[in-house]
């Protein structure tokens, strides 16, 4: 009998486990039926600096609101004042995504969050969520240096900037990129939430829930202090925020000993620079076509034009190419390089810098015009700087005369536009120019926004071209930038002391420019980029669909798609300046083991090579291309409240997701809760009764033992 009871007990346990398993599966199935997960979304995240926080976040459990599509002023009034079902989750087209609308919702308790449908439908003629005076507190102009030029007092560089990216929103804001999911949301809204004849819709209503809770609050000083305390006293420390950081890319026409920091005292350098990064209101959504790509493409094409001539007729001065990361966030990359130069911890010394030419926004030149910007203070204070800058301008004018480029200079009293050159001037008065397509304020109508894309840069293709045909198609934008690249390359050669007789041999290849433009603003997953990268990285998703994003993020953690721009530029530079070797993959990765190779002078890259039928496959490239850390010195010095260096950090989070579902009325929810509580109490009562009467209800008749006398 006991064995039978034990067997029954075991079977009951098995049945219970089976029931629980199927219940879990059923729960998962029920959840999928209740919620529609939105996959292709981009959040606005929280960023912090020394004084405040900006960006967006949700509550810890996510924010939920009834969907309402903003299509008119009456819709906005319904959301903020008269609608009977607050809080609302506002869905808006780009036409309504403006500072005035967002601030009205920010100051209302009736808004749970915002979802912006990313499209060009109804897009305003201009949209820049950046400030009107980018990087105004960390440039060269201050109370000590040109106070009359500080804070854009003379020139407002970005007059279209509305400052939206620098606001702090207590609710989540997401961008919706998937058109199919946008249609699902619209249908849900039209079926359940649409007002009929001005009357409120009836339950059930379509709702949305957004999750983007940020761990960091207040400012970088507070966040880093709390993180440091966690690291010291917690067994399982939780990092709350990370400094924005990545890597600069640099190379030189004559290889430099990378292990000999600050010792190149006998060599003179001409620096050619541009920026690598951009940003927008939404995390990772930073195409930066005019703001960043035009400069990158121009400088890379100039390198391609220069190198063949430099190998045959090297100029007396060394040309140093620098691509700076994090410039959108108070000059992270350039300030770090200058800081290292000052402390003799970089490969060249600041005193060896002869002059500097920086490529700014050059993709939207009106007709043929380009402008040479210079610093009026250093030119006024130093006769040698004035003389060198004047010579640079004269040389560039003479070179431009033979090209389809018209050069001019702003008035002598006008300050430099936002540029990496300003960080060099803060350390030392160096002759230099910033080349740009604007005389005063930016031509770029979408500066630091998600709409600074291929269309803004006027990159377009004839219909019916295959991807491979587009890759090499010479658009008008490519031809224009090739002219600018030729001007830059010849000017650098002349500035480095090269012979004038070689200038006509320096010409940028429009096909290279076309390939660069296609890869950086249209499609990074193309055959040329594939051939330049290591085979193992091409398999890790770094060549996902679409153009790269130029937001600096937290680059050193991974070489993921977010931070691929640094990697692309590094390998493109290796392709343009390097030589193919016969080293094996193992030797390429460990060149120190080979006596004929010098790892101090060169970096070695194992690249995929062409996918053509007759290609020899992967091979090793030797090139004078290096990476250097692009992290603000404020974090190295642990001066989190610094006023001299960038203090930007990005908050950490655990979950970023969005979903849509139907929500019942408050009355039905309370009724369901009440019924649930009643059932719970009843079950407890029944359980108590059964437990107290268990011996009576479940005891079996005692068996009379058989006894033998």
């Amino acid at each position: 009998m006991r064995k039978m009871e034990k067997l029954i007990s075991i079977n009951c346990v098995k049945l219970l486990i089976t029931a629980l398993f199927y219940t879990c599966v059923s729960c998962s199935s029920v959840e999928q039926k209740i919620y529609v997960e939105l996959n292709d979304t981009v959040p606005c995240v929280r960023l912090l600096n020394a004084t405040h926080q900006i960006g967006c976040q949700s509550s810890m459990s996510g924010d939920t609101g009834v969907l309402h599509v903003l299509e008119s002023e009456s819709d906005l009034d319904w959301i903020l004042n008269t609608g009977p079902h607050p809080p609302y989750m506002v869905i808006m087209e780009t036409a309504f995504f403006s500072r005035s609308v967002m601030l009205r919702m920010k100051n209302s308790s009736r808004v749970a969050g915002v979802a912006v449908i990313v499209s060009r439908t109804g897009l305003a003629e201009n949209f820049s969520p950046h400030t009107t005076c980018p990087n105004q507190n960390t440039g060269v102009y201050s109370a000590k240096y040109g106070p009359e030029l500080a804070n854009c007092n003379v020139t407002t560089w970005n007059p279209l900037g509305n400052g939206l990216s620098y606001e702090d929103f207590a609710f989540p804001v997401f961008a919706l990129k998937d058109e199919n999911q946008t249609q699902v949301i619209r249908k849900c809204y039209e079926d359940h939430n649409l007002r009929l004849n001005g009357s409120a819709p009836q339950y059930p209503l379509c709702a949305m829930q957004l999750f983007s809770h940020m761990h960091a609050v207040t400012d970088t000083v507070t966040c880093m202090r709390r993180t440091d305390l966690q690291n010291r006293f917690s067994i399982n420390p939780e990092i709350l925020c990370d400094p924005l950081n990545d890597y600069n890319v640099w190379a030189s026409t004559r290889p430099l000993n990378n292990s000999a920091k600050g010792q190149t005292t006998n060599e003179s350098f001409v620096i050619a620079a541009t920026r690598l990064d951009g940003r927008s209101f939404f995390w990772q959504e930073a195409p930066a076509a005019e703001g960043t790509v035009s400069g990158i493409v121009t400088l890379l094409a100039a390198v391609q034009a220069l190198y063949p001539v430099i190998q045959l007729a090297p100029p007396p001065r060394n040309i140093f190419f620098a691509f700076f990361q994090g410039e959108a966030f108070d000059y992270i990359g350039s300030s770090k390089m200058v800081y290292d130069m000052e402390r003799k911890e970089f490969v060249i010394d600041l005193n060896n810098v002869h002059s500097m030419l920086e490529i700014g926004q050059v993709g939207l030149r009106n007709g043929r015009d380009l402008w040479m910007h210079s610093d009026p203070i250093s030119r006024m204070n130093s006769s040698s700087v004035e003389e060198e800058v004047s010579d640079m301008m004269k040389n560039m004018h003479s070179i431009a005369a033979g090209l389809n480029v018209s050069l001019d200079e702003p008035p002598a009293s006008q300050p430099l536009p936002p540029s990496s050159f300003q960080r060099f001037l803060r350390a030392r008065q160096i002759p230099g120019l910033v080349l740009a397509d604007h005389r005063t304020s930016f031509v770029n109508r979408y500066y630091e926004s998600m709409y600074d894309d291929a269309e803004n840069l006027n990159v377009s293709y004839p219909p019916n071209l295959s991807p491979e045909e587009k890759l090499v198609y010479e658009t008008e934008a490519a031809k224009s930038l090739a002219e600018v690249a030729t001007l830059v390359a010849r000017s650098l050669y002349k500035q480095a002391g090269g012979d004038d007789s070689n200038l006509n041999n320096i010409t940028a290849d429009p096909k290279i420019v076309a390939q660069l433009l296609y890869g950086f603003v249209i499609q990074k997953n193309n055959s040329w980029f594939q051939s330049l990268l290591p085979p193992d990285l091409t398999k890790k998703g770094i060549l996902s669909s679409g153009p790269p994003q130029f937001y600096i993020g937290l680059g050193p953690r991974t070489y993921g798609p977010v931070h691929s721009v640094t990697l692309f530029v590094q390998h493109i530079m290796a392709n343009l300046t390097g030589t193919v070797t016969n080293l094996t993959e193992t030797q390429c990765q460990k060149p120190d083991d080979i006596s004929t190779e010098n790892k101090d002078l060169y970096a070695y890259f194992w690249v995929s090579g062409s996918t053509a039928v007759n290609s020899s496959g992967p091979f090793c490239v030797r090139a004078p291309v290096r990476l250097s850390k692009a992290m603000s010195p404020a974090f190295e010095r642990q001066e989190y409240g610094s006023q001299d260096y960038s203090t930007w950090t990005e908050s950490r989070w655990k979950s970023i997701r969005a979903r849509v579902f139907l929500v019942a009325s408050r009355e039905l929810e309370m009724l369901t809760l009440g019924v649930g509580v009643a059932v719970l109490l009843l079950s407890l009562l029944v359980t108590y009764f059964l437990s107290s009467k268990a011996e009576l209800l479940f005891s079996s008749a005692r068996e009379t033992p058989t006894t033998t006398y």
Side-chain angles (χ1 to χ4, degrees), residues 583-590 606:
L583 300 180
T584 65
E585 182 176 3
T586 303
Q587 292 172 328
C588 193
Q589 293 169 351
K590 295 182 179 180
W606 185 253

Side-chain angles (χ1 to χ4, degrees), residues 405-427:
V405 179
S406 176
L407 281 179
D408 208 340
E409 55 186 284
S413 59
Q414 182 174 295
L416 284 168
S419 54
S420 305
F421 181 39
Q422 292 199 29
R423 292 302 303 193
F424 284 81
L425 285 174
R426 280 179 63 127

Side-chain angles (χ1 to χ4, degrees), residues 270-575:
V270 175
I271 296 180
T274 193
R275 60 188 280 185
L276 277 179
D277 70 305
R279 66 164 301 192
S280 76
F281 183 84
F282 296 103
W283 183 66
Q284 296 185 16
E285 193 64 21
E290 156 72 349
T292 300
V293 173
S294 63
I296 293 175
V297 170
T298 299
L299 191 51
L300 288 173
V303 171
Q304 174 269 324
L306 269 171
Y307 252 78
V309 174
I310 282 179
Q311 302 308 306
L312 297 174
R317 298 188 185 98
N318 203 342
I319 303 176
F320 184 90
F321 303 100
F323 298 81
F324 295 120
Q325 264 286 10
E327 299 303 275
F329 292 95
D330 294 330
Y331 308 117
I332 293 174
S334 56
S335 63
K336 171 61 174 171
M337 185 173 286
V338 172
Y339 178 75
D340 288 343
M341 286 180 177
E342 289 181 299
R343 296 190 306 155
K344 313 293 184 183
E345 292 185 2
F346 194 66
V347 68
I348 67 174
D349 191 293
L350 192 63
N351 293 323
N352 297 111
V353 177
H354 172 267
S355 54
M356 184 169 177
L357 176 61
E358 181 172 350
I359 318 304
Q361 301 179 81
V362 293
L364 297 178
R365 57 194 181 103
N366 184 17
R368 300 166 55 194
D369 290 341
L370 281 176
W371 299 86
M372 298 176 292
H373 298 267
S374 61
D375 172 44
I377 305 300
S378 60
R379 294 181 67 179
M380 181 176 61
N381 292 343
S382 171
S383 58
S384 61
V385 170
E386 165 62 25
E387 183 179 354
E388 189 62 45
V389 170
S390 297
D391 286 344
M392 289 179 71
M393 288 183 172
K394 290 176 183 176
N395 291 335
M396 292 188 73
H397 271 296
S398 64
I399 292 169
L403 300 170
N404 188 27
V405 179
S406 176
L407 281 179
D408 208 340
E409 55 186 284
S413 59
Q414 182 174 295
L416 284 168
S419 54
S420 305
F421 181 39
Q422 292 199 29
R423 292 302 303 193
F424 284 81
L425 285 174
R426 280 179 63 127
R428 178 172 165 263
Q429 292 192 346
I430 299 171
L433 296 175
V434 176
L435 193 64
D437 56 18
H438 52 88
R439 175 180 178 273
T440 53
S441 58
F442 298 157
V443 179
N444 188 0
R445 298 174 296 132
Y446 301 113
Y447 180 73
E448 302 290 32
S449 85
M450 57 186 170
Y451 300 110
D452 186 10
D453 53 14
E455 186 173 335
N456 185 43
L457 200 56
N458 299 319
V459 178
S460 59
Y461 301 88
N464 304 321
L465 288 185
S466 68
E468 286 300 314
E469 291 172 330
K470 288 182 180 179
L471 177 63
V472 296
Y473 182 80
E474 297 177 14
T475 62
E476 291 303 315
K479 295 174 183 177
S480 174
L481 287 180
E483 289 283 332
V484 180
T486 300
L487 169 68
V488 169
R490 293 179 181 180
S491 299
L492 289 171
Y493 189 76
K494 177 79 172 176
Q495 186 66 13
D499 193 332
D500 288 358
S501 61
N502 294 314
L503 290 179
N504 289 335
N505 297 326
I506 301 174
T507 303
D509 185 354
K511 186 169 290 186
I512 292 291
V513 177
Q515 290 178 269
L516 290 167
L517 275 179
Y518 182 80
F520 282 125
V521 302
I522 302 293
Q523 180 60 267
K524 60 181 177 288
N525 190 8
N526 62 73
S527 59
W528 190 48
F529 277 18
Q530 289 169 12
S531 69
L532 302 179
L533 295 179
D536 58 332
L537 283 181
T538 58
K539 298 175 183 177
K540 292 182 179 179
I542 196 169
L543 289 174
S544 56
S545 180
Q549 297 301 324
F550 292 80
Y551 173 71
I552 178 176
L554 312 172
R557 292 198 307 192
T558 58
Y559 272 133
V562 181
H563 319 104
S564 58
V565 172
T566 301
L567 194 65
F568 288 149
V569 171
Q570 180 193 20
H571 283 77
I572 292 170
M573 281 292 288
N575 175 265

Side-chain angles (χ1 to χ4, degrees), residues 1 28 97 113 152 156 180 218 255 314 346 379 394 402 442 450 467 474 535 565 575 585 611 647 704:
M1 188 68 181
S28 177
F97 186 52
C152 295
T156 302
N180 293 329
T218 309
F346 194 66
R379 294 181 67 179
K394 290 176 183 176
F442 298 157
M450 57 186 170
E474 297 177 14
V565 172
N575 175 265
E585 182 176 3
T611 57
T647 55
T704 304

